[in-house]
Amino acid sequence: MTKTTTEPKSTTPDVIVRAASDPDFRARLLQDATATLAELGIVLPPEVTVKVVENTPSVVHLVLPALATEELTEGQLDQVAGGTSGENLDSASELLRTLMKEHNDTQMNIIKNI
């Protein structure tokens, strides 16, 4: 797994706020999310793909989580993420988890309001 050498300069809310207010950044994020996030110090492992889509008044994206076949222990999660048992996940993996949770929370709020 690729490890970041520094802490990310931005967090998920920073990325979303900037995408909402900076059309050039938004376009780059939609075009190549991995490279755009890397500009902010957010380096993802090569096996992780981030796809950014945008909702419109007539199209709402509903993202389903991957099906889990069984619950993994923290040690197994560390190994799958490229670390070793007992080590903390690197900041990119933590950011990815945060992104997924925030996205799922947002989707649930949209569904409640439909």
Side-chain angles (χ1 to χ4, degrees), residues 25-64:
F25 177 77
R26 183 184 193 91
R28 290 193 337 264
L29 195 59
L30 287 163
Q31 179 75 29
D32 187 348
T34 302
T36 305
L37 292 172
E39 292 172 13
L40 302 175
I42 302 168
V43 180
L44 300 171
E47 67 273 10
V48 173
T49 301
V50 175
K51 182 170 183 169
V52 176
V53 295
E54 60 185 331
N55 291 333
T56 68
S58 61
V59 176
V60 175
H61 295 87
L62 176 62
V63 178
L64 302 176

Side-chain angles (χ1 to χ4, degrees), residues 16-114:
I16 293 169
V17 167
R18 182 164 174 195
S21 62
D22 181 341
D24 181 58
F25 177 77
R26 183 184 193 91
R28 290 193 337 264
L29 195 59
L30 287 163
Q31 179 75 29
D32 187 348
T34 302
T36 305
L37 292 172
E39 292 172 13
L40 302 175
I42 302 168
V43 180
L44 300 171
E47 67 273 10
V48 173
T49 301
V50 175
K51 182 170 183 169
V52 176
V53 295
E54 60 185 331
N55 291 333
T56 68
S58 61
V59 176
V60 175
H61 295 87
L62 176 62
V63 178
L64 302 176
L67 291 175
T69 56
E70 64 180 85
E71 190 71 25
L72 298 178
T73 66
E74 278 300 313
Q76 289 169 323
L77 287 172
D78 286 346
Q79 290 175 342
V80 169
T84 59
S85 183
E87 290 183 2
N88 290 329
L89 295 175
D90 68 14
S91 57
S93 294
E94 289 298 328
L95 175 66
L96 186 57
R97 284 184 181 185
T98 301
L99 279 167
M100 290 170 36
K101 182 187 179 316
E102 289 177 1
H103 178 76
N104 288 339
D105 291 347
T106 299
Q107 291 299 320
M108 290 307 295
N109 286 333
I110 291 171
I111 291 168
K112 287 178 186 175
N113 293 318
I114 291 177

